[in-house]
Amino acid sequence: VAAGIYSGLTYGLKEARGAHDWKNSAVAGAITGATLALTLEDSTHEQVVQCAITGAAISTAANLFKGIF
């Protein structure tokens, strides 16, 4: 489910912005992380924000490393 959300958001942002860069990855990662946090049984505001930041950081790092290696 997470991969589908992330891929769909990345594709949609690429089409909307006309560019495929780290910004698309960061936004898609943040939204995916927040969505996954909301599926927890007792999710708090802090957990949602933490998961959004973590998702954005991981997806941005992966996108940047993909260009290096």
Side-chain angles (χ1 to χ4, degrees):
V1 172
I5 294 170
Y6 178 78
S7 295
L9 286 169
T10 303
Y11 178 76
L13 289 167
K14 176 184 158 195
E15 293 297 315
R17 292 184 61 235
H20 181 66
D21 56 5
W22 67 269
K23 296 173 190 173
N24 292 351
S25 295
V27 171
I31 293 172
T32 302
T35 303
L36 291 177
L38 290 172
T39 63
L40 298 173
E41 208 166 295
D42 292 328
S43 62
T44 64
H45 179 267
E46 289 81 18
Q47 287 175 325
V48 174
V49 171
Q50 205 170 35
C51 288
I53 292 170
T54 302
I58 290 172
S59 62
T60 301
N63 189 320
L64 293 176
F65 286 138
K66 183 177 69 172
I68 293 173
F69 297 109

